[in-house]
Amino acid sequence: MYSSELIKGTLKTIVLKLLSENKRMYGYEITQRVKDLTGNKIQITEGALYPTLHALEAEGTLITETEYIGKRVRKYYSLSKEGKAKSKEKVNEFADFMNTMKFLLDIKPKQA
Amino acid sequence: MYRVTEAQIEYILNDIKQRGVEMEDLQNNLLDHICCLLEQNCKNENDFETEYNKTIKQFFKHELWEIEEETILLLKYKHYYKMKRFLYILLFLSVSYNIYVFSRMGYEYYRAKEWMSSHMRDEKITFHDGLEKLKSSFKEKYPNIPFKKYRSIYFMGSPMSDYEKEIFFTEADTTLFSPTKSRARAFRESYSLDSLASLNNKDITHIFCYEGDDEVTNKRVKEYFKSFKNLFFLTNMKSLLSGYYNDKKSKIWGTPKIIIINDSDKVIYESPNFILNPHKNLSKVFKTLQK
């Protein structure tokens, strides 16, 4: 399990990447997919996920559709046109960040 | 697989509401998520209560409404940037508008200044232009009369105080002119450039311009005019002025300055702003004129 600080900083990127690979997903599905893909190493908490989803929806990155599952409502999230571009941008940014961190963390011990 | 019943859905939704989550959208999200977890973890209906209590706790650290608080915070954060961008646009528009308004005000101020003739430079230009016009029209009408030497004083309106009128026009004959407007107009017309030129064929020494509706002053001015050799009393002030004033075709009122120009076209006297101090400088003016 990674620390919540690390996950919080990458949550948007994770959500956007997952949605770029799936047409639409609902909250629980996202948490389960992340859990499965990472072998339980990353567990997204509901307390972090839903505020992020709402914020992304509010800024127009995500679009939503609702479906009734019996008496309850399920909200599906998918990427908007801007969201698709943002997803690529976020993944590229994070890849660059990882390379920088890799370089930084690999080099530093050697210098010391 | 276990299915959460409608009654349980109702129970969960009520519990979410009671725990302080007010956003309907968020309530539905949490409800569905909890139901999904319960359907995964419950084997039968008997497990519901235990599983629900276990499940709901994983949604928060202290209270469930913290999720809503976090959501609102993120939405506000988003709005903060929107608002910031809006404020920048507003600031830009405001600055642009102010620049426009101030430039417009400046322009209006300039025009107002010009209109009031309160700016010395503008006044001189207007005066010189007017004088040139006067000279050229004079030469055109009377080509044989030299127009070389002149001293000029001009003002508009009724700049003299009663005290000054007493000093300069001691022999006022109020019966000479009727104080009616038509007579006053006739008086002014009789002292137009043409009349003056026909009265005096010598070199123009002084040109005294005045336009006002004060018949008494007009009469006194005329008297004053008589006491100077070759002094021309020009009532039709507009013939002296050019440019902006004539374009406006408006009545000229008030005067900011008195300027006296000598034979070499040099300004030998300029009064301070006449509007601010309309009467004090006349004595000095006439003394200068008499030199």
Side-chain angles (χ1 to χ4, degrees), chain B residues 233-248:
Chain B
F233 176 39
L234 188 68
T235 55
N236 189 5
M237 189 64 198
K238 279 172 189 165
S239 71
L240 189 69
L241 298 171
S242 62
Y244 182 78
Y245 301 96
N246 284 349
D247 291 344
K248 296 295 283 187

Side-chain angles (χ1 to χ4, degrees), chain B residues 32-219:
Chain B
D32 184 49
H33 200 112
I34 291 165
C35 288
C36 288
L37 285 169
L38 290 173
E39 284 172 354
Q40 192 188 39
N41 298 331
C42 289
K43 288 187 179 94
N44 54 54
E45 207 164 329
N46 297 332
D47 296 338
F48 175 79
E49 202 176 331
T50 318
E51 281 302 323
Y52 177 69
N53 288 333
K54 207 161 68 178
T55 303
I56 195 75
K57 279 176 189 166
Q58 74 184 53
F59 279 68
F60 56 86
K61 276 183 187 168
H62 306 289
E63 297 290 342
L64 187 65
W65 52 257
E66 286 166 2
I67 298 181
E68 185 165 280
E69 200 177 57
E70 177 74 8
T71 305
I72 291 167
L73 194 76
L74 283 179
L75 291 175
K76 273 187 183 168
Y77 187 64
K78 164 74 188 161
H79 288 147
Y80 168 77
Y81 279 105
K82 265 188 182 172
M83 187 65 78
K84 204 173 170 184
R85 194 165 56 182
F86 173 73
L87 284 174
Y88 276 127
I89 292 167
L90 201 68
L91 186 71
F92 173 75
L93 290 175
S94 167
V95 167
S96 307
Y97 179 72
N98 281 334
I99 288 169
Y100 169 75
V101 166
F102 280 114
S103 62
R104 192 75 205 160
M105 274 171 67
Y107 176 65
E108 290 301 328
Y109 176 65
Y110 171 76
R111 280 176 64 99
K113 271 207 311 189
E114 207 174 35
W115 174 245
M116 299 294 282
S117 301
S118 61
H119 196 278
M120 199 177 281
R121 182 180 59 80
D122 295 344
E123 187 73 7
K124 280 183 199 169
I125 290 166
T126 306
F127 182 75
H128 281 284
D129 286 356
L131 211 55
E132 284 307 309
K133 192 180 169 188
L134 180 69
K135 275 162 73 178
S136 61
S137 62
F138 187 90
K139 280 177 181 172
E140 197 182 319
K141 286 254 180 191
Y142 309 100
N144 299 322
I145 301 171
F147 196 107
K148 289 176 185 171
K149 287 191 273 177
Y150 54 86
R151 280 185 176 181
S152 306
I153 168 173
Y154 80 102
F155 52 87
M156 297 167 278
S158 303
M160 290 182 203
S161 67
D162 287 341
Y163 173 71
E164 285 161 339
K165 283 172 190 170
E166 287 303 314
I167 292 171
F168 294 108
F169 312 115
T170 51
E171 292 177 8
D173 184 0
T174 50
T175 59
L176 188 63
F177 298 101
S178 163
T180 61
K181 286 214 167 183
S182 58
R183 292 299 296 273
R185 200 175 297 119
F187 164 73
R188 286 201 296 276
E189 282 166 5
S190 71
Y191 285 92
S192 66
L193 178 64
D194 291 353
S195 314
L196 289 170
S198 64
L199 283 171
N200 197 321
N201 289 340
K202 294 176 186 173
D203 291 357
I204 295 172
T205 308
H206 300 104
I207 299 170
F208 186 14
C209 304
Y210 175 70
E211 179 171 317
D213 291 331
D214 181 352
E215 291 82 5
V216 176
T217 307
N218 284 343
K219 187 174 63 105

Side-chain angles (χ1 to χ4, degrees), chain A residues 3-108:
Chain A
S3 68
S4 61
E5 284 85 2
L6 277 176
I7 295 166
K8 207 169 183 179
T10 54
L11 185 57
K12 265 190 187 181
T13 313
I14 294 168
V15 170
L16 292 175
K17 178 64 181 167
L18 275 182
L19 290 173
S20 73
E21 289 167 353
N22 298 276
K23 201 184 167 190
R24 60 174 200 172
M25 293 176 94
Y26 58 97
Y28 174 77
E29 192 182 7
I30 292 170
T31 57
Q32 294 306 302
R33 186 66 55 86
V34 172
K35 215 161 126 180
D36 292 346
L37 288 171
T38 61
N40 281 343
K41 279 184 175 178
I42 294 177
Q43 285 185 20
I44 297 173
T45 62
E46 295 77 7
L49 177 68
Y50 288 108
T52 303
L53 286 173
H54 277 82
L56 287 169
E57 186 190 354
E59 70 183 38
T61 307
L62 302 183
I63 46 176
T64 59
E65 50 191 309
T66 50
E67 261 179 34
Y68 275 88
I69 311 291
K71 216 186 168 186
R72 70 183 199 250
V73 181
R74 178 164 293 169
K75 195 171 178 181
Y76 285 94
Y77 294 89
S78 55
L79 290 177
S80 66
K81 200 180 170 186
E82 296 80 31
K84 283 171 189 166
K86 196 162 185 178
S87 171
K88 284 178 190 168
E89 191 187 302
K90 279 288 211 182
V91 171
N92 289 338
E93 187 195 12
F94 190 70
D96 190 53
F97 175 74
M98 280 206 306
N99 285 334
T100 308
M101 288 300 287
K102 205 172 163 187
F103 171 77
L104 185 71
L105 300 176
D106 280 347
I107 293 294
K108 260 195 168 176

Side-chain angles (χ1 to χ4, degrees), chain B residues 254-268:
Chain B
T255 178
K257 278 187 194 309
I258 290 174
I259 302 171
I260 299 174
I261 297 176
N262 69 7
D263 299 351
S264 315
D265 278 354
K266 270 193 171 179
V267 174
I268 57 171

